[in-house]
Amino acid sequence: MKFGQDFEAALSREEFPQEWVDSAISYKKLKKCIKRVQQELLSLGLDKETLDALWQHVSSGDTEVGGSLGERLMQYSVNGSEKVSFTPRLTIVVDPRDGSPIDAWLAPDTRRVLQRLARNSRGSSGPTRRDDSSPAQPRLAEGSHDGTAQNSDADVMSENDELKPQTIEIPLTSDSEFFQILKRELADLDRLQDSEQIQIQTEILKLGAQLRDLKSEKTKRSKQEIEIWRKIFELYAEAEIFMSSHEADAGARDAEHAQLQYSNFNQGLQKQQKEVRKLGKDANAAFERFLGINANLIRLIKFQEINKTALNKIMKKFDKRTALHARSTVSDALIKSPFMAQNLAKATCFTISQELLSIIPQLNDYLCPVCFSISYKPIRLRCGHIFCIRCMVVMQREEKDQCPLCRQAVVLEATSANVDRELTKFMKTNFKSEVKAKQRDNEIQAGIDRWGEQYENSQKCSVM
């Protein structure tokens, strides 16, 4: 199956909104433009084989034209500012004497076309030829003893000007049509992405407002729902749907992998289904909004990738059919399109983190880096790192002075003044069950320190 059919099938299969489909790259229309470019080049004697030979001549560097001019024997470039106009230009450097490309062999028909273009481009503005009917006045060269006449500097310059290579522009119109269509469609895709991204961010802000209202209620039910949301966000953070932190695949995920991680997230939710069902009407509506935000972002990334593939395919086909080497020059201006950038998922993930995950604190952000349980009571060392009080007591008893993270000698100097009171209050408010469990564990460890291992066993006894 040809790519054009695959492209249309993908747009239909994914059930994108009609507005999106209308904004997609018109692959078949652009293919027809390529055919017109081919026909126009053929009418000028510049068939694919001829252009390939010219490009081969340029890339080989086997030319008598020195300096940077040798690298510009033939160019296909964009004329003017891409924001205002987008007119590609095909230029060839020719010998002004016969209009032939420097050191290149061409078919007679092609040579005649270039000769005609060279004559037309010279016109009255071409290099001035010396009038042979007025012979140069001979003079003795300075320091000459044989009386031989030499040309003046002016005559030498005139001859050099006469032989100076000339750059002519091949008049093409169909390629301009091709790139104007492509540029316009990429601009439409940019506007679509901007619009959809604004909608996604608006939904995130609305969800954030709902969660803040829920958290401010301070009722037993709202506290229960906040705990459910904490579990949901914990699963979400672990899934890393759009951005991976793993060394092997760090960075933004493509649509396929994002969809896979989203499925894993939903599977985790299924295991928590009993808890999720406890959400009230408003909280459940917020939950559905959260799922919709992620599903829509995956769909937008997928649409972005499909159009990127279409752009690469059509540019590759343009070069293959016309031999104009547009991908290496003209396409650079097109790929600057924001729609072709990789920052969509990154920007949205940042917004989700700032507007949603920050509302309901996650336990993983408040773990002691030594024992990996909640950092209660939190001891903030002079270096700024935070550990639970139990780990600091153990380190001081063992006379270990270096911070486990930065290795500064700050542990032994810590006192009760290093307890972070505000953070302690925050933990008691947001992680009640974890704080109670930590307090109980600290009491047991303190008893073991004082009375030995038998203290722990004594705590397991119960009075009948």
Side-chain angles (χ1 to χ4, degrees):
M1 184 182 291
K2 295 182 179 180
F3 176 77
Q5 295 173 318
D6 290 339
F7 183 55
E8 290 185 351
L11 291 175
S12 175
R13 180 176 62 251
E14 299 298 336
E15 298 182 352
F16 295 120
Q18 189 59 44
E19 179 189 4
W20 293 20
V21 176
D22 293 340
S23 299
I25 290 176
S26 54
Y27 187 83
K28 288 187 175 180
K29 183 178 181 180
L30 291 169
K31 275 184 64 178
K32 293 179 180 179
C33 284
I34 293 176
K35 289 183 179 179
R36 290 195 288 272
V37 177
Q38 282 182 283
Q39 293 169 356
E40 191 173 10
L41 288 170
L42 285 173
S43 69
L44 296 171
L46 295 173
D47 56 84
K48 183 179 183 300
E49 290 72 20
T50 298
L51 286 170
D52 282 338
L54 286 170
W55 285 117
Q56 182 65 30
H57 177 69
V58 171
S59 61
S60 67
D62 183 18
T63 176
E64 296 177 359
V65 181
S68 61
L69 182 61
E71 300 173 358
R72 302 197 306 269
L73 288 176
M74 185 166 71
Q75 279 190 326
Y76 190 66
S77 57
V78 177
N79 183 31
S81 171
E82 292 84 1
K83 294 182 179 179
V84 179
S85 63
F86 201 89
T87 307
R89 300 169 65 242
L90 175 62
T91 57
I92 298 179
V93 176
V94 298
D95 189 328
R97 292 172 295 188
D98 60 4
S100 299
I102 304 298
D103 289 346
W105 180 90
L106 292 177
D109 290 344
T110 307
R111 189 180 295 275
R112 281 193 291 272
V113 170
L114 295 179
Q115 288 171 345
R116 185 181 72 251
L117 291 173
R119 287 195 300 271
N120 293 340
S121 65
R122 282 201 300 270
S124 59
S125 61
T128 304
R129 298 175 62 90
R130 180 169 55 84
D131 187 359
D132 293 335
S133 63
S134 302
Q137 297 297 322
R139 66 179 179 87
L140 289 175
E142 186 176 354
S144 174
H145 299 287
D146 58 5
T148 303
Q150 295 186 358
N151 289 337
S152 67
D153 291 343
D155 291 334
V156 173
M157 290 296 294
S158 178
E159 290 180 6
N160 288 339
D161 287 344
E162 181 180 354
L163 298 177
K164 184 178 180 180
Q166 177 185 0
T167 300
I168 61 171
E169 181 176 344
I170 309 300
L172 297 176
T173 57
S174 299
D175 61 338
S176 296
E177 178 189 5
F178 174 88
F179 286 110
Q180 290 289 0
I181 292 173
L182 192 55
K183 181 175 175 60
R184 183 170 61 251
E185 291 179 346
L186 287 175
D188 290 341
L189 288 172
D190 290 346
R191 285 190 289 271
L192 172 66
Q193 176 170 290
D194 290 343
S195 174
E196 292 297 323
Q197 193 165 0
I198 289 173
Q199 289 185 28
I200 289 175
Q201 290 179 343
T202 300
E203 288 295 298
I204 293 173
L205 294 176
K206 288 180 179 179
L207 178 56
Q210 287 179 293
L211 293 179
R212 288 188 182 91
D213 290 342
L214 179 64
K215 192 175 181 181
S216 65
E217 289 179 9
K218 305 295 184 182
T219 64
K220 183 177 180 180
R221 182 173 185 81
S222 67
K223 291 178 181 179
Q224 183 185 42
E225 290 180 342
I226 286 294
E227 286 301 315
I228 296 172
W229 271 105
R230 178 173 287 115
K231 293 177 181 178
I232 291 172
F233 284 158
E234 183 178 352
L235 290 172
Y236 185 78
E238 290 175 355
E240 295 187 331
I241 297 173
F242 300 105
M243 298 290 296
S244 172
S245 61
H246 300 289
E247 185 176 355
D249 60 345
R253 298 189 189 276
D254 58 25
E256 180 181 357
H257 288 90
Q259 184 65 60
L260 177 62
Q261 295 304 113
Y262 184 62
S263 298
N264 292 338
F265 169 63
N266 278 305
Q267 289 176 8
L269 288 176
Q270 290 297 324
K271 297 178 182 179
Q272 300 287 338
Q273 191 65 30
K274 184 177 179 180
E275 295 294 323
V276 173
R277 286 176 180 172
K278 294 179 182 178
L279 291 173
K281 182 179 179 181
D282 292 340
N284 190 65
F287 176 65
E288 292 298 326
R289 170 172 276 160
F290 179 66
L291 294 180
I293 289 170
N294 286 274
N296 196 43
L297 181 55
I298 291 175
R299 186 169 57 171
L300 185 57
I301 293 173
K302 190 174 295 184
F303 183 70
Q304 183 187 54
E305 290 178 358
I306 290 174
N307 280 278
K308 280 184 180 180
T309 302
L311 173 63
N312 290 331
K313 290 283 187 180
I314 201 65
M315 290 301 301
K316 184 177 180 180
K317 187 174 290 292
F318 183 91
D319 279 351
K320 183 178 180 180
R321 298 282 180 86
T322 66
L324 287 177
H325 290 206
R327 280 174 63 86
S328 60
T329 53
V330 178
S331 63
D332 290 343
L334 297 175
I335 297 175
K336 292 177 183 177
S337 161
F339 191 80
M340 297 297 126
Q342 295 287 339
N343 59 359
L344 174 62
K346 186 176 181 180
T348 306
C349 285
F350 178 78
T351 305
I352 289 176
S353 177
Q354 292 294 308
E355 297 296 332
L356 300 182
L357 302 186
S358 61
I359 297 173
I360 302 177
Q362 296 298 299
L363 179 62
N364 288 341
D365 296 329
Y366 299 92
L367 298 181
C368 171
V370 175
C371 64
F372 297 104
S373 62
I374 189 169
S375 298
Y376 186 83
K377 293 178 179 180
I379 302 297
R380 187 182 296 274
L381 300 178
R382 179 165 52 84
C383 61
H385 294 125
I386 298 175
F387 303 88
C388 71
I389 191 171
R390 179 64 194 169
C391 289
M392 289 297 96
V393 168
V394 172
M395 289 187 68
Q396 286 186 343
R397 182 185 301 139
E398 296 175 354
E399 296 186 352
K400 294 180 179 179
D401 195 25
Q402 291 184 334
C403 168
L405 296 180
C406 67
R407 302 303 178 187
Q408 291 189 50
V410 292
V411 173
L412 295 180
E413 68 184 39
T415 65
S416 59
N418 289 84
V419 176
D420 191 322
R421 307 295 177 183
E422 288 296 322
L423 187 55
T424 299
K425 182 179 178 181
F426 175 86
M427 289 182 179
K428 284 183 176 180
T429 301
N430 291 280
F431 305 105
K432 287 186 177 181
S433 59
E434 290 82 2
V435 166
K436 286 182 179 179
K438 182 74 171 187
Q439 286 177 315
R440 179 61 179 163
D441 185 61
N442 286 349
E443 290 172 359
I444 292 175
Q445 292 300 322
I448 292 174
D449 291 342
R450 186 172 182 180
W451 290 292
E453 295 292 338
Q454 65 273 15
Y455 178 81
E456 182 177 10
N457 295 328
S458 68
Q459 299 303 303
K460 298 178 182 178
C461 297
S462 59
V463 179
M464 299 300 293

